């Protein structure tokens, strides 16, 4: 054991206010306004605006779902953390892989769309090469340690909202002065798919891309001031529920549907040019480049934090934790950049396949979040939460995302193949990492079987494999107990055996002055120590009060990361938020 390191002071960093937090996540979700109207019109035609209203209704349901889950477990990580604290690490890993794919598609779509809009301003721009260059620029910036600045995010977000408002205003004035001939012409045409339900089904499925980024706020909730998270959900819902249907309706009213189809990638700037003049089209293009670039940066920063957490939880290789002098996880960032370039080349930068990969992964994450809400209700009923989503609300929201997921796969089955090309290898890597002990033990058996034919190779292999097994098992875990009964302690042991690589567990009970632990607790621990002979159990009793300061102190003294410390589900009188405990996990 290393020498104890003096505990560091608890962090009191300034928390983000409502505008700053809304801007950071709002740049992500509101960037979809630049392309989702064209997608919805492609599948729902003149009824795209109605499909986008249905999307806003589903998002309204998810406001409560996210509010309840993140209110009860206010930790960064979104769906990954929800499932990590309500179910097994394997299930959480699936959600994490989907989230990584979502970030990857976000980065590629946003960079590609930004360059399409820039192409409007500079026609000689090679779009695909420029997209790679933009991704490379943000790779360099994040490696150098530059992340989102709240002030810059606010400036981009406010400029974007002003630009969209100007577009809506000039489009409305254009209709008022020029008439509604296009609107009548478009609505007199045939309905996409032959019927209104079919048009709405496919339009709704495609338009669900318009709420991608709604989960962004859950990924940095710990950096937000108290009460801000709920407001970010409301503000994001208002932005997409107002602008997306309104812009789609105005586009249908101002432009022939055939022209919408030929300007899919840059519909808003084209619409601005037609309704307000070249200056408005140029403003929308410049605004699009800025806000879409902001979404690229969000992807790099977000995926870095998620993959770092996965590496700390030993779901990804420990090499991902390597940092440069500026404390950036450069291996994670380079790996993410390479993946983004590969998906860009495979799809040739086409919006359709990119949106398909994005939508499948994003909707799957949303579905996992709804399932996590159900699990939270059943497994953590006593956790205090500021918002409660009823069972019917969660069920309807889950049905909405599953319907959209099915619709997207039905529209383009080939997009599912592109999605699986990335999802399957990611899951294989993660599951290899989660089953390393089994794989290494099999490798040890294989090495021993070669002793007669290849003695030197067998001996070296056994030494290497045994060293790796020792490295994996030496990490110690901690469980804080108040004198739980043997059934609860047995659940702890079962969870550790099934989810963690370790042969050492500290069971810690905290006592007040003059208080003693019960002999029954010692007896229970002794029984479990013998029942789980693969784990060495150490019982520790300490005088003190459970809280962030004690966890901080013990983490440094014992050299045990806080995410390897567990507690049971606290009751409604627990004096701290889970986020204040620095990553301590719930396992009962």
């Amino acid at each position: 054991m290393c020498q104890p390191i003096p505990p560091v002071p608890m962090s009191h960093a300034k928390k983000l206010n409502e505008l700053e937090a809304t801007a950071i996540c709002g740049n992500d979700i509101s960037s979809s306004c630049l392309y989702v109207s064209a997608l919805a019109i492609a599948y729902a035609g003149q009824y795209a605006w109605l499909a986008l209203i249905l999307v806003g209704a589903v998002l309204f349901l998810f406001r409560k779902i996210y509010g309840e889950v993140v209110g009860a477990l206010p930790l960064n990580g979104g769906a990954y953390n929800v499932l990590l604290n309500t179910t097994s690490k394997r299930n959480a890993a699936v959600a994490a892989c989907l989230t990584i794919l979502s970030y990857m598609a976000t980065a590629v779509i946003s960079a590609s769309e930004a360059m399409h809009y820039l192409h409007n301003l500079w026609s000689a721009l090679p779009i695909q090469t420029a997209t790679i260059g933009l991704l490379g620029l943000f790779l360099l910036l994040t490696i150098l340690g530059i992340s989102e600045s709240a002030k810059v995010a606010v400036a981009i977000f406010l400029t974007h909202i002003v630009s969209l408002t100007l577009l809506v205003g000039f489009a409305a004035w254009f209709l008022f002065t020029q008439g509604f001939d296009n609107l009548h012409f478009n609505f007199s045409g045939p309905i996409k798919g032959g019927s209104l339900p079919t048009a709405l089904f496919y339009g709704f499925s495609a338009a669900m891309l318009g709420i991608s980024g709604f989960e962004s706020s859950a990924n940095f909730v710990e950096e937000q001031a108290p009460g801000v998270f709920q407001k970010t959900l409301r503000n994001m819902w208002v932005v997409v529920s107002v602008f997306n249907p309104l812009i789609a309706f105005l586009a249908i009213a101002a432009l022939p549907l055939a022209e919408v189809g030929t300007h899919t990638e840059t519909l808003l700037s084209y619409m601005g040019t037609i309704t307000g003049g070249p200056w408005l089209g140029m403003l929308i293009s410049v605004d699009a480049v800025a806000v879409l670039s902001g979404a690229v940066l969000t992807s790099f920063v977000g995926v870095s934090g998620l993959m770092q957490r996965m590496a700390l939880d030993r779901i990804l290789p420990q090499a991902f934790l390597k940092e440069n002098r500026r404390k950036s996880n450069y291996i994670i960032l380079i790996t993410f950049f390479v993946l983004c370039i590969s998906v860009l080349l495979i799809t040739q930068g086409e919006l359709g396949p990119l949106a398909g990969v994005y939508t499948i992964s994003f909707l799957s994450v949303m579905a996992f979040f709804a399932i996590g809400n159900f699990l939270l209700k059943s497994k953590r009923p006593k956790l205090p939460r500021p918002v409660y989503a009823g069972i019917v609300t969660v069920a309807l929201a889950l049905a909405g995302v599953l319907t959209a997921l099915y619709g997207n796969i039905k529209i383009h089955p080939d997009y599912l193949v592109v999605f699986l090309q990335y999802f399957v290898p990611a899951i294989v890597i993660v599951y290899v990492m989660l089953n390393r002990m089994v794989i290494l033990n099999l490798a040890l058996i294989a090495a021993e079987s070669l002793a007669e034919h290849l003695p030197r190779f067998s001996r070296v292999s056994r030494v290497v494999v045994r060293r790796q097994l020792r490295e994996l098992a030496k990490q110690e875990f901690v469980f804080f107990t108040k004198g739980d009964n043997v059934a609860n302690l047995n659940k702890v042991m079962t969870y550790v055996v099934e989810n963690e690589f370790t042969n050492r567990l500290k069971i810690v009970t905290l006592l007040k002055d003059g208080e003693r632990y019960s002999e029954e607790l010692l007896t229970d621990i002794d029984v479990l120590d013998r029942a789980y002979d693969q784990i060495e159990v150490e019982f520790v009793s300490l005088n003190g009060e459970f809280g962030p300061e004690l966890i901080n102190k013990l983490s440094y003294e014992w050299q045990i990361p806080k995410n390897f410390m567990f507690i049971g589900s606290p009751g409604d009188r627990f004096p701290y938020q889970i986020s204040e405990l620095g990553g301590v996990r719930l396992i009962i």
Side-chain angles (χ1 to χ4, degrees):
M1 176 88 54
C2 301
Q3 289 296 317
I5 301 173
V8 297
M10 300 295 289
S11 175
H12 296 287
K14 181 181 179 292
K15 301 290 186 179
L16 297 171
N17 61 32
E18 180 183 348
L19 178 58
E20 293 168 337
T22 299
I24 290 173
C25 54
N27 283 334
D28 193 358
I29 194 169
S30 66
S31 67
S32 66
C33 298
L34 297 163
Y35 48 80
V36 74
S37 293
L39 279 174
I41 292 171
Y43 293 106
Q46 61 270 46
Y47 292 100
W49 58 276
L50 188 53
L52 285 161
I53 288 176
L54 292 176
V55 170
V58 172
L59 189 62
F60 180 80
L61 300 178
F62 269 98
R63 279 178 59 186
K64 286 194 173 183
I65 293 171
Y66 273 76
E68 178 181 0
V69 171
V70 179
L73 295 169
L75 301 168
N76 292 348
Y80 170 72
N81 261 311
V82 173
L83 295 178
L84 188 66
N85 284 284
T86 56
T87 181
S88 70
K89 185 180 280 190
R90 285 171 173 78
N91 293 334
V94 173
C97 288
L98 290 167
T99 305
I100 292 171
L101 286 180
S102 180
Y103 274 128
M104 186 171 70
T106 300
V108 178
I109 286 179
S110 299
S112 179
E113 280 293 288
M115 294 303 97
H116 274 95
Y117 275 97
L118 187 58
H119 183 72
N120 273 357
L121 305 175
W122 179 24
S123 59
L125 180 74
I127 294 175
Q128 188 153 311
T129 303
T131 301
I132 294 173
L134 183 62
L135 291 168
L137 172 64
F138 283 110
L139 168 67
L140 179 62
L141 291 177
T142 47
I143 285 179
L144 291 175
I146 299 177
S147 62
E148 293 140 314
S149 163
K151 292 181 180 179
V152 172
V154 168
I156 292 174
F157 180 70
L158 293 179
T159 301
H160 184 50
I161 296 301
V162 169
S163 300
L164 293 179
T165 303
L166 283 173
L167 176 63
V168 168
F170 274 93
W173 179 253
F174 176 85
L175 293 175
F176 180 76
T177 55
Q178 302 297 321
F180 294 85
D181 292 344
N182 278 320
L183 182 66
H184 294 308
F185 176 76
N186 289 333
F187 269 91
S188 65
I191 299 175
K192 289 273 187 179
S195 67
L196 181 57
T198 302
L200 290 179
F201 168 69
Y202 288 117
F204 168 78
S205 299
M208 282 295 281
L209 183 64
I211 63 173
S212 55
F214 189 68
E215 80 287 358
S216 297
S217 186
N219 286 323
F220 64 96
V221 65
E222 293 179 47
E223 283 73 49
Q224 298 175 31
V228 165
F229 176 73
Q230 296 288 340
K231 295 175 182 177
T232 66
L233 298 182
R234 178 201 62 200
N235 297 341
M236 286 190 290
W237 174 75
V238 169
V239 168
V240 298
S241 297
V242 171
F243 280 113
N244 283 348
L246 189 54
I247 289 172
F249 180 81
L250 292 172
I252 293 165
L255 305 171
L257 289 180
E259 289 188 20
V260 173
T262 58
H263 295 87
T264 301
E265 285 85 3
T266 58
L267 175 62
L268 267 63
S269 64
Y270 177 73
M271 183 177 163
T273 300
I274 295 298
T275 61
W279 72 271
L280 184 56
M282 181 176 293
L283 173 64
I284 296 297
S285 294
V286 172
D287 167 63
V289 173
V291 75
L292 288 165
S293 296
V296 176
L297 180 57
T298 299
S299 298
F300 271 92
V301 174
V303 83
S304 178
L306 175 61
M307 293 177 72
Q308 181 189 43
R309 174 65 190 274
M310 292 172 70
L312 285 170
D313 288 339
R314 301 200 286 184
I315 294 177
L316 290 178
Q318 296 298 288
F320 280 12
L321 294 175
K322 289 184 178 179
E323 296 180 339
N324 59 15
R325 292 181 180 179
R326 296 177 179 266
K327 302 298 181 182
S328 295
N329 299 109
Y330 60 92
I331 294 180
I332 290 176
L333 296 168
I334 292 172
T335 302
F336 182 67
F337 171 76
V338 171
L339 289 172
C340 288
I341 297 303
S342 66
V343 77
L344 175 67
L345 296 177
I346 287 174
T347 60
Q348 293 298 306
E350 294 182 13
L351 179 61
L354 287 170
V357 174
Y358 190 7
T359 307
I360 291 171
S361 55
F362 165 69
L363 290 177
S364 299
V365 172
M366 295 283 280
F368 269 112
F369 217 101
I371 293 169
N373 185 283
F374 280 128
L375 292 170
L376 186 74
K377 293 181 193 299
S378 62
K379 294 190 174 185
R380 307 279 184 258
K382 294 183 179 180
L383 274 179
R385 56 206 74 187
V387 177
Y388 184 84
I391 296 295
V392 175
T393 297
V394 183
L396 285 175
L398 180 59
V401 273
L402 292 179
T403 299
L405 187 57
Y406 170 73
N408 276 279
I409 295 172
K410 188 173 175 62
I411 292 169
H412 287 292
D414 50 320
Y415 294 172
L416 179 61
V417 175
V418 179
F419 166 78
L420 291 176
Q421 285 175 339
Y422 287 89
F423 180 67
V424 171
I427 283 295
V428 168
I429 292 171
V430 165
Y431 271 75
V432 166
M433 295 297 295
L434 289 172
N435 292 281
R436 276 174 290 174
M437 296 290 278
V438 174
I439 294 170
L440 287 172
N441 279 310
L442 289 175
L444 187 60
I445 293 171
E448 289 173 348
S449 68
L450 295 173
E452 183 177 345
H453 305 289
L454 299 168
R456 186 173 181 180
F457 174 79
S458 174
R459 185 169 58 254
V460 173
S461 298
R462 281 180 287 173
V463 169
V464 172
V465 171
R466 283 173 178 151
R467 184 185 303 123
Q468 300 236 350
L469 285 168
R470 285 195 300 271
E471 284 294 316
L472 280 175
K474 75 178 184 180
Q475 176 61 62
E476 196 167 16
F477 286 71
V478 173
F479 175 65
F480 292 95
T481 178
K482 294 187 292 185
D484 297 74
N485 59 41
V486 69
N488 284 341
L489 291 173
N490 184 56
K491 290 178 183 177
V492 174
M493 301 294 285
T494 301
Y495 178 90
V496 172
V497 168
E498 292 179 352
N499 291 277
E500 305 295 348
F501 312 122
T502 187
N503 56 15
R504 301 168 65 199
L505 174 67
K506 285 183 187 287
I507 295 180
V508 179
T509 187
L510 299 172
L511 306 172
K512 297 178 181 178
D513 291 337
E515 188 180 12
R516 287 184 54 83
Y517 53 81
S518 68
E519 293 298 322
E520 184 179 346
L521 176 60
L522 282 180
T523 303
D524 291 343
I525 293 173
D526 183 60
V527 169
L528 292 170
D529 192 16
R530 286 183 280 114
Y532 295 87
D533 56 355
Q534 69 269 52
I535 297 180
E536 177 186 337
V537 179
E538 178 186 357
F539 175 67
V540 178
S541 65
L542 297 171
N543 288 325
E545 183 176 343
F546 183 80
E549 291 185 2
L550 179 71
I551 290 171
N552 185 52
K553 177 175 179 290
L554 295 181
S555 175
Y556 280 93
E557 286 184 358
W558 291 344
Q559 298 293 296
I560 300 175
K562 296 172 188 176
N563 58 306
F564 292 151
M565 295 182 171
F566 305 127
I567 60 173
S569 182
D572 52 9
R573 296 184 179 180
F574 191 62
Y576 304 103
Q577 285 196 338
I578 300 299
S579 59
E580 295 180 77
L581 305 182
V584 172
R585 285 151 58 188
L586 310 179
I587 61 170
I588 294 180

